[in-house]
Amino acid sequence: MTTMSARERMLGRLRAAVPTSGSTLAMDTATLDRRIDQHFDTRRGERPSPAAMVASMQAALSASHAEVVCTGAAAWPAWVANRLAAEGVRRLLLNVDSAEGAALTRAMPAGIAAVGFARPIEAWKAELFDTVDAGFTVARSGLAATGTLVLAPDHGSPRTMSLVPPIHVALVYASMLHPDLHSAARAERWADGMPTNLVMVSGPSKTSDIQQTLAYGAHGPRQLWVVIVNDLDGGAAQ
């Protein structure tokens, strides 16, 4: 049996198993979406409170070897700046034009340089890989059940920021936490239009490929620091 004939037989079985557009079993997208929503809503039950989602997010990330802090909207820049200084970071990659990037830049001591992604990567690849100690990003949202950050890279914060530096510092707002992936996709209306890519981060890079020995930093940052900013009514540090 040739590879092509095996492929054709497999595709034939798949086509035969899927109802055609004229079948009474076929359904439109809206009907399918409603059935999916009903399925997840039934399994999930009552939506968890914001405080419960913050606690779940923090616990799941900590279990994945991330360092997590929940702090207030006014206090997070100082916490990040002090943590960077304690770690010996000298160059931080961030979007200097964003509100969060500007706030963090103002809080950083003189010994830490803020580096923007203003050049094509080909023009400074060696410098990026050799001299940048940490990258700072602001997550689009978070998935509380799995402790997952949802990043939407753009021109000012390309995915390189969260993948190349050995330390990834991520900020996520408590108001942007969702119970799970389905809730995020529905609340943020992903079906109406997706960015070029979404990066989902649930912990530092790790692998056990070599002799089944767990190692961090093989395929990305070896450390992940997550700042959950409590921007809800009456929000305060935890």
Side-chain angles (χ1 to χ4, degrees):
M1 182 182 297
T2 65
T3 303
M4 182 58 70
S5 62
R7 175 178 179 274
E8 290 299 322
R9 290 182 60 182
M10 178 185 70
L11 291 175
R13 289 196 296 268
L14 291 173
R15 293 189 184 103
V18 177
T20 63
S21 59
S23 170
T24 57
L25 297 177
M27 63 182 70
D28 59 57
T29 302
T31 301
L32 181 59
D33 284 343
R34 285 194 296 271
R35 290 187 59 180
I36 292 173
D37 289 346
Q38 183 180 17
H39 167 78
F40 279 99
D41 289 343
T42 300
R43 287 176 58 89
R44 185 185 307 114
E46 185 178 352
R47 181 181 176 87
S49 68
M53 285 193 285
V54 169
S56 177
M57 186 81 177
Q58 192 164 11
L61 280 165
S62 298
S64 297
H65 204 72
E67 181 176 340
V68 191
V69 64
C70 183
T71 186
W76 74 261
W79 185 92
V80 174
N82 292 334
R83 186 67 184 85
L84 292 170
E87 191 68 21
V89 169
R90 291 293 175 262
R91 303 190 78 202
L92 175 68
L93 186 64
L94 77 170
N95 182 0
V96 295
D97 295 326
S98 68
E100 294 85 359
L104 180 54
T105 299
R106 290 192 298 269
M108 289 192 306
I112 303 177
V115 181
F117 209 102
R119 293 170 285 171
I121 190 171
E122 294 79 8
W124 69 305
K125 184 184 296 184
E127 178 186 347
L128 170 62
F129 278 80
D130 295 341
T131 70
V132 173
D133 305 304
F136 172 78
T137 64
V138 179
R140 168 175 175 158
S141 54
L143 314 180
T146 55
T148 301
L149 300 166
V150 181
L151 309 180
D154 55 24
H155 179 73
S157 298
R159 59 184 178 179
T160 305
M161 283 190 176
S162 65
L163 296 176
V164 171
I167 301 172
H168 176 201
V169 185
L171 181 148
V172 63
Y173 290 99
S175 61
M176 292 306 298
L177 297 184
H178 304 285
D180 47 43
L181 178 62
H182 171 261
S183 297
R186 181 167 61 177
E188 298 177 15
R189 304 184 65 87
W190 291 9
D192 292 347
M194 293 286 286
T196 303
N197 63 76
L198 288 176
V199 178
M200 296 194 177
V201 178
S202 298
S205 168
K206 55 190 174 185
T207 181
S208 298
D209 292 346
I210 303 174
Q211 298 182 342
Q212 296 185 345
T213 300
L214 183 61
Y216 289 91
H219 307 295
R222 67 174 182 270
Q223 295 185 52
L224 173 64
W225 307 345
V226 178
V227 180
I228 302 175
V229 177
N230 195 342
D231 60 334
L232 301 169
D233 292 341
Q238 295 181 5

